[in-house]
Amino acid sequence: MSSAVLPALAPPRRAWVTDLPLLLVAAVWGASYLAAKGITTTHTVIAVLVLRFAIVLPALAVAGWRGLRALSGPQWRGAGLLGLVLSGIFLLETYGVVHTSATNAGLIISLTMIFTPLAEAAVTRVRPPTDFLAAAGLSVAGVVLLTQGGGFTSPSTGDLLMLLAALARTVHVLAMARIKAVQDADSLSLTTVQLGSAVAVFAVLAAVPGTGAAPWTVAADFGAGEWAGLLFLSVFCTLFAFFVQMWSVRRTSPSRVSLLLGTEPLWAAAVGIALGGERLGVMGVLGAVLVLTGTAWGRRRADVTA
């Protein structure tokens, strides 16, 4: 998405008007791991995903109706393909967070910021700078330490699923950049078709015997707390976050947006520890510091070389 760069002499108050909503998006995304963990079990993952995105799809479709009607056949197919990848991301993330801590989930998924430039370099056959490779190594070392709770043991199933989710996010980013048909598509329409495609995948999976409880059964069993968590994921982490991104990229630079949204793992760790009662241990704290340092360093280096 293209965006207008914020003028260098803009008053600080105007910069904060743009920064605060983006920081709020990063915060709710960070909190989403604990929220998803609180309302989801292994047997309700698919049902929760159906409910989460079915709630927001009508609002997106109404808001972007004109754009949807204007999409060409190749744009519909490209967006649908991206939606299939997106469904894989959400499945991996949601199953992953069920089997690991919210803190680990938020920090491991941040490796996407390292994986994407590395994958881009592999595709274009351009070797990344040495200091970026050092930042990537630092991040990977941090994940190794982060996943070692009481000693050097195998990473949990959830940790491995979150790592696969980070790789899937990388595939999604690269696909968006290389599917020519979607590059000129309206962002709201593109997102609506992607989410619609993902919901279709979840609905099909929900109909397969043995894949867990039906969405309507899960919805009927939800209490007030579970509904609050589901609405938080739907309204704030999806609908609100998307519209803030659309609004902000037209008022500031992509680098600034990336920097602010890149604080998501910090919020995930803070929420997991403060509200979820999670503990990292000495090695975990060291690993978290290395992940955050490595991803921040790598992101800045990637922005410089972009």
Side-chain angles (χ1 to χ4, degrees):
M1 277 185 292
S2 61
S3 63
V5 176
L6 190 69
L9 299 179
R13 185 169 59 182
R14 183 178 176 184
W16 276 107
V17 167
T18 305
D19 290 353
L20 283 175
L22 284 169
L23 280 174
L24 185 56
V25 168
V28 297
W29 278 353
S32 69
Y33 300 102
L34 188 62
K37 191 174 181 68
I39 67 171
T40 313
T41 68
T42 303
H43 300 293
T44 63
V45 166
I46 295 173
V48 168
L49 287 172
V50 171
L51 294 170
R52 172 182 175 178
F53 295 108
I55 288 173
V56 300
L57 264 181
L60 289 173
V62 170
W65 180 247
R66 289 185 179 179
L68 287 171
R69 294 182 62 186
L71 290 178
S72 65
Q75 288 174 329
W76 274 95
R77 290 190 291 272
L81 178 61
L82 290 172
L84 296 180
V85 179
L86 193 64
S87 68
I89 294 171
F90 282 117
L91 285 168
L92 288 168
E93 286 184 356
T94 311
Y95 275 112
V97 79
V98 168
H99 294 289
T100 190
S101 68
T103 302
N104 276 25
L107 291 167
I108 293 173
I109 202 68
S110 70
L111 288 178
T112 302
M113 291 181 282
I114 293 294
F115 291 160
T116 301
L118 287 176
E120 182 73 23
V123 170
T124 60
R125 298 183 180 181
V126 176
R127 188 178 186 276
T130 302
D131 52 352
F132 180 84
L133 294 176
L138 196 65
S139 298
V140 172
V143 168
V144 172
L145 291 177
L146 178 68
T147 58
Q148 307 308 306
F152 283 94
T153 58
S154 299
S156 71
T157 300
D159 294 332
L160 294 176
L161 288 172
M162 294 308 300
L163 191 61
L164 289 174
L167 291 170
R169 278 195 183 189
T170 298
V171 171
H172 187 259
V173 172
L174 293 181
M176 284 191 71
R178 281 166 174 72
I179 298 178
K180 293 182 179 180
V182 304
Q183 291 177 2
D184 296 326
D186 171 66
S187 57
L188 175 56
S189 303
L190 180 62
T191 299
T192 303
V193 175
Q194 286 188 78
L195 289 181
S197 179
V199 169
V201 171
F202 302 146
V204 170
L205 291 176
V208 176
T211 55
W216 51 87
T217 302
V218 173
D221 290 339
F222 271 180
E226 287 83 4
W227 274 109
L230 181 65
L231 290 174
F232 173 76
L233 290 171
S234 297
V235 176
F236 288 96
C237 300
T238 306
L239 197 61
F240 168 76
F242 171 73
F243 281 108
V244 166
Q245 287 182 88
M246 283 190 64
W247 173 80
S248 63
V249 295
R250 290 171 171 80
R251 290 165 174 78
T252 187
S253 68
S255 296
R256 193 172 184 86
V257 172
S258 174
L259 179 64
L260 293 166
L261 294 182
T263 62
E264 176 189 344
L266 287 172
W267 294 104
V271 171
I273 293 170
L275 301 181
E278 298 176 353
R279 296 292 180 266
L280 290 177
V282 175
M283 281 196 301
V285 170
L286 178 58
V289 170
L290 292 180
V291 170
L292 294 172
T293 302
T295 52
W297 181 16
R299 185 172 63 251
R300 286 197 300 269
R301 193 64 185 89
D303 287 341
V304 169
T305 57

